């Protein structure tokens, strides 16, 4: 049982074990990244037992390390194999993204067992990164920064959002990303939709353009946003931009160990509210990042978790004016012993492009 | 409530409704494809009620159609909003790939509700495709076939598996795939691992190479496999290949309405067993395909579901000789009124390449 497993079980006192499915939790504990499918793969961690991996016979890991493998073949019932390992009245934490298909089958085959989600029980298990992980996130951030610097040199006016999005994806890959998770190019009124992706709209002079892109490099995530303007911005565009920039900067400066997650959100929100745009900041201020691009800690109202050195998360306030335009600025920030350090550091000024 | 929703509720007699999360089920019912995240998006279908969509405020659909939207903001409890729509003692089917995070939160906020998976309750809901869906699958299959025809023209010997995999991905995209899900290039002994993806092994003369690739084109899946040989095959390589080809052909010819899924598996398996290779065919014969590349019906021992015209699935027997090589041949097949029709139709002969 490795150190991450032991630490997780220590934190999970009161539970009889952890049930880990393919995805970031399994990568964290074992380095294994099998596909996520209807065939059950499940790591069972229990205090005082070796880790067991229930796994389809055709997906046996080449290098199982210390895992005890329990292979099953198509036509077998893998849930019964899991139940054999569980306390019939035990309580287990399950990976957040485990499929309902699998959880419900377990609940059926072992009806007295009880379950909770990893986030409900061990929300901060992966939230505090070690030095190697911070270095990987910094490298992913640097790749995203290089992508942004290069996208400033391409032509925007007269091209579609989708064409710019394709450029972003290509650049992220050129800078070492194995996976591109999102390439938002939200121009003009589309920018007022925080999760607009990229469409057929042709970008033109006078457009604000929100660029929000990221993915995975060497297994760790990038996620950065800059808002640029085609041609000279209007006074109101610049005003809104400056409010968001000030909110992002203030939230960054508020980062230090011991501050509650929700307080970072509050700092950013207050600046936007004081400027009269509070109703147009319609999402939380940030989310953790690591083996995924969205994970705890969440910088959101109600999250009382204090910041701890090694936590890594986005700070990404925005203002969205329906039918007009949007502005968002986002950096990944890691908590240090005395404050915060940005893992993105491209210029925060409003870039005027063509 | 559209026809697909009504039909699903009719089939779900005895249940109080369906809870549908982003992914293939939601695309099937609504055409909506929001991201799959920790933020709850849930379609609630109940007999006698309009469909409701619980959705994050920042992901409101642009074209909700007949959906009644219930938006929630970061910091709200979306599960309480769902519970307000449910019979406190009701029983609901949940999308297979719904996250445990969401299901467990629902079970907690509405502890008397009960759940089952879509596959446990309505396994064949999406299995029978309409004519438009079959046409989309045929188009995806044709794109995969074109990819295979072109890959036969590239140089294999002296290049890595990964380089060939990159070629396959590029070709699939050039032929209209929006998403590439897998590009297996398993050469020599790597071919003995059915789910080997592609690695740094340099392909050389004398290698069998399993090519298994697919993804999504216009929302529908492709998935085909051909096994090729670099240079002239040995007698045993050709023998194993011919057994797999015969098994694939016999299974295809067994397809007709009313035949049980497991019988198609049995036909393929018997040919391989009779040839003395039964222990080396270590997976089911096939899986359904549609809005995903793996879905019911499964052609597997124990699946008694009879075939129905419009079902679409892979037929992909294989033989895997550890340490030596593997062979797999896979086509997508649709059930017609009188038999089966292949949606892949590239040559089944062993292609000798260089």
């Amino acid at each position: 049982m490795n150190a991450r497993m032991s630490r997780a079980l220590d934190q999970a006192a009161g539970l009889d074990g952890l049930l880990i499915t393919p995805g970031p939790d399994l990568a964290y504990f074992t380095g294994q990244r099998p596909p996520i499918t209807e065939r059950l793969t499940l790591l069972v961690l229990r205090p005082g037992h070796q880790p067991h991996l229930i796994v389809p016979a055709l997906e046996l890991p080449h290098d199982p390390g210390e895992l005890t493998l329990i292979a099953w073949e198509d036509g077998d019932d893998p849930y019964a194999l899991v139940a054999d390992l569980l306390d019939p009245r035990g309580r287990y934490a399950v990976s957040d993204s485990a499929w309902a298909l699998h959880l419900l089958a377990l609940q059926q085959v072992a009806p007295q067992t009880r379950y909770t989600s990893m986030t409900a029980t061990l929300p901060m298990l992966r939230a505090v990164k070690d030095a190697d992980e911070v270095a990987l996130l910094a490298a992913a951030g640097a790749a995203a920064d290089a992508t942004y610097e290069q996208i400033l040199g391409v032509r925007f006016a007269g091209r579609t959002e989708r064409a710019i999005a394709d450029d972003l994806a290509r650049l992220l890959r050129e800078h070492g990303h194995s996976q591109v998770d999102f390439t938002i190019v939200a121009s003009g009124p589309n920018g007022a939709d925080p999760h607009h992706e990229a469409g057929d709209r042709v970008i033109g002079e006078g457009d604000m353009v929100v660029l929000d892109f990221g993915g995975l490099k060497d297994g760790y995530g990038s996620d950065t946003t800059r808002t640029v303007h085609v041609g000279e911005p209007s006074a109101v565009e610049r005003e809104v931009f400056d409010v968001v920039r000030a909110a992002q900067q203030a939230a960054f400066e508020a980062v230090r160990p011991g501050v509650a997650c929700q307080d970072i959100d509050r700092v950013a929100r207050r600046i936007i509210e004081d400027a009269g745009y509070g109703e147009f900041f319609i999402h939380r201020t940030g989310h953790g990042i690591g083996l995924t691009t969205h994970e705890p800690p969440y910088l959101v109202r109600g999250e009382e978790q204090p910041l701890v050195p090694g936590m890594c998360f986005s700070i990404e306030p925005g203002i969205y004016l329906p039918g007009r335009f949007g502005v968002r600025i986002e950096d990944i920030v890691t908590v240090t012993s005395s404050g915060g350090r940005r893992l993105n550091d491209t210029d925060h000024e409003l870039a005027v492009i063509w």
Side-chain angles (χ1 to χ4, degrees), chain A:
Chain A
M1 184 159 291
N2 65 37
R4 287 179 173 178
M5 294 174 183
S6 300
R7 185 166 59 87
L9 287 176
D10 286 348
Q11 291 181 20
L15 290 182
D16 295 287
L18 309 179
L19 306 182
I20 304 300
T21 53
D25 288 339
L26 190 66
Y28 184 73
F29 284 121
T30 71
Q32 310 274 352
R33 298 172 185 275
I36 298 169
T37 77
E38 75 287 356
R39 288 188 177 103
L40 182 71
T41 295
L42 190 75
L43 173 68
V44 179
L45 299 178
R46 295 164 297 164
H49 292 81
Q50 282 303 300
H52 282 66
L53 186 74
I54 288 83
V55 59
L58 80 168
E59 284 164 14
L60 287 177
H62 295 284
D63 180 16
E66 64 182 339
L67 301 179
T68 301
L69 301 181
I70 301 178
W72 63 276
E73 297 189 4
D74 289 342
D76 295 344
D77 177 1
Y79 307 104
L81 299 174
V82 177
D84 288 344
L85 300 179
L86 302 187
D87 176 342
R89 295 179 172 275
R91 186 157 168 271
Y92 297 89
V94 180
S95 288
D96 287 2
S97 58
W99 282 17
L101 175 75
H102 299 312
L103 175 60
L104 289 165
L106 260 182
Q107 289 178 331
Q108 185 162 41
V109 75
Q112 303 298 314
T113 50
R114 289 161 299 144
Y115 301 90
T116 179
S117 67
M118 291 290 283
T119 281
T121 311
L122 300 173
M124 298 302 148
L125 174 69
R126 293 191 279 110
V128 179
K129 273 65 180 178
D130 63 31
D132 289 347
E133 292 183 289
V134 174
L136 287 163
L137 286 164
D145 283 354
T147 295
Y148 175 68
E149 298 288 359
Q150 282 183 262
I151 205 73
L152 289 179
V154 313
R155 178 87 190 170
F156 277 62
R159 297 177 69 215
T160 64
E161 292 174 347
R162 210 181 306 274
I164 305 293
D166 289 347
D167 287 343
L168 286 169
R170 178 180 49 76
L171 288 167
L172 283 168
R173 289 204 174 86
E174 286 179 9
H175 289 291
H177 278 60
S178 62
Q179 181 178 315
V180 176
D181 286 335
F182 46 87
T183 52
I184 293 175
V185 180
S187 66
N190 290 340
D193 173 0
H195 275 194
H196 174 82
E197 300 202 346
D200 296 324
R201 187 176 183 280
V202 175
I203 299 168
E205 185 171 356
D207 281 344
M208 278 282 205
V209 186
V210 179
L211 305 170
D212 183 351
F213 48 96
L216 297 181
K217 177 179 188 293
D218 297 328
Y220 278 77
S222 70
D223 186 359
T224 189
T225 307
R226 291 291 183 270
T227 302
V228 300
H229 197 274
V230 183
E232 286 303 321
S234 67
V236 66
E237 286 172 330
R238 189 167 288 282
E239 176 197 321
V240 169
F241 185 92
D242 286 345
V243 171
V244 173
R245 188 173 60 154
Q248 209 265 355
Q249 181 65 24
F252 168 69
E253 291 174 3
V255 170
R256 67 178 52 83
V259 173
C261 287
Q262 66 175 351
D263 289 338
I264 306 300
D265 180 79
R266 199 172 288 151
V267 166
R269 202 165 300 277
R270 183 156 310 155
I271 287 176
I272 292 174
E273 284 171 353
D274 287 351
Y277 292 102
E279 68 184 297
F280 304 113
F281 178 19
I282 57 175
H283 57 72
R284 64 194 174 200
T285 292
H287 56 79
I289 188 167
L291 288 160
T292 75
T293 49
H294 273 195
E295 60 187 43
Y298 296 108
L299 307 185
V300 63
R301 169 169 54 91
E303 180 53 84
E304 297 172 0
Q305 168 70 38
L307 299 183
V308 174
M311 284 183 171
C312 297
F313 45 76
S314 68
I315 295 184
E316 51 174 313
I319 294 176
Y320 308 94
L321 301 180
R324 298 172 66 193
F325 66 92
V327 173
R328 182 166 64 258
I329 301 173
E330 173 183 26
D331 294 314
I332 302 303
V333 172
T334 184
V335 184
T336 67
S337 58
S338 60
R341 178 165 71 88
R342 282 189 166 99
L343 303 184
N344 298 106
D345 70 351
T346 57
D347 193 4
H348 288 76
E349 292 289 332
L350 179 55
V352 173
I353 50 136
W354 291 97

